[in-house]
Amino acid sequence: MPTPTKNDEPTTVAFVCVQNAGRSQMAYAFAEREKRERGRDDLEFVTGGTRPADHVHPGVVEAMQAAGIDISARVPREVSFAEIQDADVVITMGCSAEDVCPANWSGENRDWNLDDPDGKSPEEVARIRDDIEARVQELFEEF
């Protein structure tokens, strides 16, 4: 369970990966949808990568469109030290958190250990997408 934030500030969850072109983009999109559907203004989400790609993987865009979410305009971005330091929970997607978790950071870190969807078949990308969706829903149940 994430640590409560100070001064009634929203709880911030960062979805981080190296390229920010697949798994973290899907997690962020599902989290934003859950936030809207559940009316959870007490939660904020950040996504980024330590070495962002030029574009979101096309197979990921297609898989998300099949799930009713359009991420075709999303662009991978670099996550900043400040964003990570200010997050209550940092969730990495199956890549090392060493680049994003400073020694003095006091938040919670989780690694979801997901397969990279880049270059995978549409069926494999859909399986990864569905796993991410279920994990995001479980995360909301914790809050």
Side-chain angles (χ1 to χ4, degrees):
M1 177 74 121
T3 319
T5 55
K6 307 162 222 48
N7 303 326
D8 295 324
E9 294 177 14
T11 297
T12 301
V13 178
F15 298 105
V16 180
C17 204
V18 175
Q19 292 188 327
N20 189 227
R23 298 164 284 187
S24 56
Q25 289 284 351
M26 289 190 279
Y28 179 81
F30 282 126
E32 285 293 314
R33 184 186 70 184
E34 288 293 317
K35 177 181 174 177
R36 278 191 312 277
E37 289 180 354
R38 296 178 187 229
R40 295 298 305 266
D41 293 334
D42 59 328
L43 300 173
E44 289 185 358
F45 303 101
V46 173
T47 189
T50 55
R51 291 182 293 283
D54 295 329
H55 60 275
V56 176
H57 302 308
V60 168
V61 172
E62 292 173 18
M64 292 302 286
Q65 284 175 333
I69 299 175
D70 182 6
I71 63 168
S72 61
R74 299 269 322 155
V75 177
R77 62 181 287 277
E78 187 172 356
V79 67
S80 74
F81 175 82
E83 288 173 308
I84 297 303
Q85 192 172 27
D86 291 343
D88 298 292
V89 180
V90 174
I91 300 175
T92 54
M93 302 288 120
C95 37
S96 173
E98 292 174 7
D99 290 344
V100 298
C101 296
N104 63 349
W105 176 65
S106 61
E108 178 182 342
N109 177 257
R110 300 178 187 187
D111 184 14
W112 281 357
N113 197 25
L114 298 161
D115 291 334
D116 186 348
D118 189 24
K120 301 278 194 291
S121 71
E123 295 78 19
E124 289 173 293
V125 177
R127 180 190 54 75
I128 294 165
R129 177 205 61 209
D130 293 346
D131 188 8
I132 291 169
E133 181 179 23
R135 289 172 189 250
V136 167
Q137 289 172 347
E138 289 171 14
L139 184 67
F140 269 79
E141 294 305 317
E142 288 183 40
F143 294 119

